[in-house]
């Protein structure tokens, strides 16, 4: 018997990048099935799915020795997305498919027992890698076709079952490549959000702080009693952030695609993510991980907002693992056989009560917590973590007169317009620094270079640092916030009132709170 070797191509995703896998199939004399190339259990079990799918589609499963090699052999192959590529390799090696077009396409998908093809994860990075390596197209589940079609200059062939793939490769049917109009995904307004800044009555000082945070990309913490509106304010922050550009949208979509969170109708993420994990979340769920590392909440918040409500209720270890990503804007997950990196450039917005009962330092209600109880509660948040949060804002309850006011309130679209103008100033400033996009991302060295202050400003800042016992990192945070406030006024210099306002946003460093942490 003539031994036939055929090659098909699929892809594996590691982190948010893809690696092309060559599937080599030989059908020869014998009765056994072998799959080599470091497959996991899901790949080893593929024979039963493939055999049933081939028979269900009225095709012939060879009753011979079949050897499948997944190359390169030193990379672990996980998941069920290799099913379709292996099946096509078997059919080609048994003479049921012409192999003329196999080298032109990446082929991937999970097979059901009836021959239908189920959607897979990580399609966007796979399509990007396919274009980079010069493939003509990619054959994949129809449910994933719109996501892959975001990538131009490559044919995206969406299929529903194995029969369609065989007929397409044998030239007996024509399947038109899936096309999408990327421009229809982007809307330069706040219509994609269900909430609006105008919903918030009163709290003008808090809304001012949120606008500053959005304008400079600063992290922020809200401290106040229950019912003061902390969560309501935080949920409206994404509505005033600048819209995602194409590069940011692709980066964000890749992460959500790899994690399996991308819905079929949402082939491209165009709204900034807003993630709000429960305080019982584990370390791994927050930063990512697992035997096959997947992105965690901090990466799913990339280019968006991570909101941590009831901050002291989170486990100390969960909060501490965020310290490094807050500085480097990426997270590295190391395992015995691989290391992956996920981007994690997000705005951290936290909310907390000032004490367990919620009424410490309240102007009207009396706190029933003892001093030691309050101290234990607040000490759950470490000083180094607080240092990485630029704005500390005390939220007070809204008075009835403010709730019932009928005066005009700026909506999200109006505020967002101002934020975009401020970000444009920063974009021009940092055009020679490709890794810096807003004031909050400045390094210490760049902060000292950009945020120059005069002698009066230095004296003011020195007095504040001595009285509040601020750290060197807090000093840089004040300068960055002051630079943002100056940008909002289109001021080329940082004046005293900019520094004074920035100092006011270090509430947790004040004497009332100092010593509680």
């Amino acid at each position: 018997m003539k031994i036939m070797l055929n090659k098909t191509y699929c892809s594996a995703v590691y982190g948010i990048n893809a690696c092309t896998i060559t599937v080599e199939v030989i059908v020869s004399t014998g009765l056994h099935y072998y799959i080599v190339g470091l497959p996991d259990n899901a790949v080893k079990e593929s024979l039963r799915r493939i055999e049933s799918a081939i028979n269900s589609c009225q095709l012939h499963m060879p009753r011979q020795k079949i050897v499948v090699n997944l190359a390169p052999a030193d990379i672990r192959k996980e998941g069920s997305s290799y099913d379709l590529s292996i099946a096509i390799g078997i059919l080609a090696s048994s003479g049921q498919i012409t192999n003329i077009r196999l080298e032109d396409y990446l082929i991937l998908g999970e097979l059901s027992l009836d021959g239908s093809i189920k959607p897979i994860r990580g399609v966007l990075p796979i399509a990007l890698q396919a274009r980079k390596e010069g493939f003509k197209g990619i054959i994949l589940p129809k449910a994933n076709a719109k996501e892959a079609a975001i990538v131009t200059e490559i044919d995206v062939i969406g299929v529903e079952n194995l029969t369609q793939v065989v007929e397409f490769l044998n030239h007996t049917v024509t399947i038109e490549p899936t096309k999408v109009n990327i421009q229809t995904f982007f809307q330069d307004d706040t219509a994609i959000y269900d909430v609006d800044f105008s919903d918030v009555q009163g709290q003008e000082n808090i809304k001012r702080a949120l606008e500053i945070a959005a304008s400079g990309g600063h992290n922020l913490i809200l401290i106040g009693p229950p019912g003061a509106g902390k969560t309501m304010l935080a949920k409206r922050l994404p509505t005033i952030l600048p819209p995602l550009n194409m590069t940011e949208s692709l980066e964000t979509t890749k992460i959500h695609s790899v994690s399996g969170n991308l819905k079929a109708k949402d082939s491209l993420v165009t709204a900034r993510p807003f993630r709000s994990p429960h305080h019982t979340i584990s370390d791994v769920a927050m930063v990512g991980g697992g035997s096959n590392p997947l992105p965690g909440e901090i990466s799913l918040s990339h280019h968006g907002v991570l909101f941590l409500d009831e901050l002291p209720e989170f486990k100390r270890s969960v909060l501490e693992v965020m310290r490094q990503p807050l500085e480097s804007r990426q997270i590295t997950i190391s395992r015995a056989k691989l290391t992956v990196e996920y981007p994690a450039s997000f705005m951290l917005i936290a909310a907390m009560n000032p004490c367990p009962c919620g009424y410490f330092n309240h102007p009207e209600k009396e706190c029933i917590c003892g001093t030691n109880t309050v101290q234990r509660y607040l000490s759950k948040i470490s000083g180094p973590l607080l240092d990485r949060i630029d704005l500390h804002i005390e939220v007070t309850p809204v008075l009835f007169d403010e709730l019932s006011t009928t005066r005009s309130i700026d909506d999200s679209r109006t505020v967002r317009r101002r934020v975009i103008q401020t970000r444009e100033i920063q974009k021009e400033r940092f055009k020679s620094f490709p890794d810096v996009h807003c004031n909050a991302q400045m390094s210490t060295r760049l902060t000292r270079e950009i945020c120059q202050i005069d002698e009066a400003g230095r004296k003011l800042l020195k007095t504040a640092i001595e009285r509040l016992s601020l750290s060197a990192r807090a000093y840089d945070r004040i300068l960055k916030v002051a630079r943002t406030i100056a940008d909002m006024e289109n001021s080329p210099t940082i004046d005293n009132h900019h520094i004074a306002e920035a100092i006011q946003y270090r509430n947790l460093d004040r004497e009332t709170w100092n010593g509680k942490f």
Side-chain angles (χ1 to χ4, degrees):
M1 176 184 173
K2 182 180 179 181
I3 298 176
M4 297 183 65
L5 168 65
N6 279 279
K7 295 181 180 180
T8 59
Y9 301 91
C10 58
S11 194
V13 177
Y14 298 96
I16 59 170
N17 298 310
C19 172
T20 299
I21 303 296
T22 302
V23 180
E24 300 176 330
V25 180
I26 285 182
V27 176
S28 59
T29 304
L31 293 174
H32 295 286
Y33 176 87
Y34 302 96
I35 182 164
V36 296
L38 212 58
D40 72 346
N41 288 335
V43 180
K44 291 177 182 178
E45 293 170 352
S46 62
L47 173 64
R48 302 307 173 197
R49 294 191 297 271
I50 291 169
E51 181 178 11
S52 180
I54 288 176
N55 292 333
S56 297
C57 293
Q58 308 304 312
L59 298 166
H60 172 63
M61 181 69 178
R63 300 297 177 186
Q64 295 166 295
K65 179 182 177 181
I66 301 173
V67 178
V68 178
N69 178 43
L70 304 176
D74 60 338
I75 296 178
R76 186 164 184 80
K77 320 303 185 303
E78 298 176 317
S80 55
S81 62
Y82 304 94
D83 289 4
L84 185 57
S85 194
I86 294 173
I88 295 302
I90 291 173
L91 293 173
S93 294
S94 60
Q96 299 175 72
I97 293 180
T98 175
N99 63 3
I100 296 175
R101 307 174 74 180
L102 294 183
E103 63 183 17
D104 293 335
Y105 293 91
L106 277 185
I107 304 172
L108 57 158
E110 177 185 343
L111 284 171
S112 293
L113 299 183
D114 62 356
S116 60
I117 302 174
K118 295 182 177 181
I120 58 174
R121 297 187 302 190
V123 165
L124 182 57
I126 289 172
L128 289 168
Q129 185 66 20
R131 181 180 67 179
K132 181 180 179 181
E133 296 190 9
F135 283 93
K136 178 183 178 182
I138 176 171
I139 300 173
L140 77 174
K142 192 171 183 178
N144 296 123
K146 286 187 177 180
E147 178 187 341
I150 296 297
V151 181
T152 57
E153 302 174 12
I154 188 170
D155 292 341
V156 177
I157 309 299
V159 290
E160 295 180 331
N161 53 61
L162 181 59
T163 302
Q164 282 186 347
V165 183
V166 173
E167 291 175 343
F168 174 76
L169 293 173
N170 283 335
H171 299 276
T172 56
V173 299
T174 300
I175 302 176
E176 290 297 322
T178 302
K179 302 290 184 182
V180 297
N181 183 358
I182 297 177
Q183 298 304 320
T184 61
F185 289 97
F186 291 93
Q187 303 178 62
D188 191 16
D189 57 35
T190 55
I192 52 179
Y193 297 103
D194 297 328
V195 296
D196 194 272
F197 231 48
S198 60
D199 301 333
V200 182
Q201 299 286 343
Q203 305 285 30
E204 297 303 323
N205 60 323
I206 315 301
K207 289 191 282 188
R208 164 74 174 175
L210 288 176
E211 185 175 343
I212 293 171
S215 297
H218 302 287
N219 301 323
L220 177 144
I221 184 169
L222 302 170
I223 316 101
K230 302 185 295 294
T231 303
M232 181 182 186
L233 287 158
K235 287 182 176 179
R236 282 152 181 78
L237 181 62
T239 69
I240 64 172
L241 291 173
L244 289 171
N245 58 39
M246 188 59 190
T247 301
E248 292 174 333
S249 183
L250 283 174
E251 288 180 359
T252 306
T253 304
K254 285 170 69 174
I255 297 170
H256 287 258
S257 175
V258 168
S259 67
N261 289 348
L262 198 64
K263 298 178 182 178
K265 63 176 182 178
D266 299 327
S267 52
L268 190 67
V269 176
T270 56
R272 291 193 180 270
F274 180 85
R275 306 290 297 185
S276 181
H278 192 261
H279 62 257
T280 56
I281 190 172
S282 67
D283 304 17
V284 172
M286 180 64 81
V287 301
S291 57
N292 178 25
L294 291 175
E297 289 292 334
I298 62 173
S299 294
L300 293 172
S301 306
H302 185 56
H303 291 314
V305 175
L306 176 64
F307 176 51
L308 303 184
D309 201 3
E310 303 296 342
L311 187 66
E313 300 299 332
F314 285 79
K315 289 190 295 185
R316 182 70 174 256
S317 59
V318 172
L319 298 180
E320 294 306 301
V321 295
M322 292 196 303
R323 285 164 54 178
Q324 182 263 338
L326 282 170
E327 291 290 332
S328 64
R329 305 198 304 279
Q330 67 177 17
I331 183 71
T332 302
I333 302 171
S334 298
R335 293 295 179 265
K337 294 184 179 180
L338 80 161
T339 298
V340 298
E341 288 187 353
Y342 289 114
S345 180
F346 60 93
M347 284 181 63
L348 173 63
I349 306 299
M352 59 178 284
N353 293 333
C355 67
C357 77
Y359 299 110
F360 174 74
N361 205 34
H362 193 280
E364 297 176 359
K365 297 186 179 181
E366 184 178 354
C367 174
I368 61 173
C369 305
T371 303
N372 291 337
T373 303
V374 175
Q375 187 168 357
R376 279 196 304 270
Y377 181 76
L378 297 179
S379 64
K380 293 180 180 179
I381 309 167
S382 68
L385 178 61
L386 280 177
D387 279 348
R388 287 169 168 81
I389 299 176
D390 302 350
L391 299 128
H392 306 165
I393 311 299
E394 191 169 358
V395 183
T396 55
V398 182
L399 301 176
F400 177 79
D401 291 342
E402 293 178 320
L403 286 174
S404 59
T405 184
T406 57
R407 68 184 179 190
S408 176
I409 301 174
D410 286 346
D411 60 10
S412 292
R413 188 173 302 172
T414 302
V415 180
R416 177 193 259 193
R417 199 176 298 121
R418 296 198 296 262
V419 169
I420 292 173
Q421 290 174 353
T422 306
R423 286 286 185 107
E424 286 298 321
I425 295 173
Q426 297 167 45
K427 182 179 179 181
E428 178 65 22
R429 175 185 298 132
F430 301 124
K431 61 183 179 182
S432 58
F433 302 93
D435 295 330
V436 181
H437 306 287
C438 57
N439 290 333
Q441 296 176 354
M442 288 189 290
S443 64
T444 299
R445 186 174 182 178
L446 188 58
T447 300
R448 305 297 168 86
E449 178 183 335
I450 298 294
C451 303
Q452 298 286 337
I453 56 177
D454 58 18
E455 187 60 32
R458 274 191 288 272
K459 288 182 179 179
L460 176 61
L461 199 49
K462 179 183 178 181
T463 301
I465 288 174
E466 290 175 349
R467 290 185 179 180
L468 301 178
S469 301
L470 300 180
S471 67
R473 187 179 281 115
Y475 170 81
D476 288 339
R477 302 291 175 184
I478 292 174
L479 286 178
K480 291 178 183 179
V481 173
R483 180 65 266 174
T484 298
I485 296 170
D487 289 341
M488 293 170 69
E489 297 179 4
N490 200 17
S491 171
T493 60
I494 300 177
D495 299 329
N496 277 13
H497 69 278
H498 301 142
I499 298 173
E501 183 175 0
I503 293 171
Q504 292 300 309
Y505 297 129
R506 301 297 300 184
N507 278 14
L508 293 180
D509 297 321
R510 292 184 182 179
E511 193 171 319
T512 307
W513 300 94
N514 216 357
K516 300 296 182 183
F517 291 91

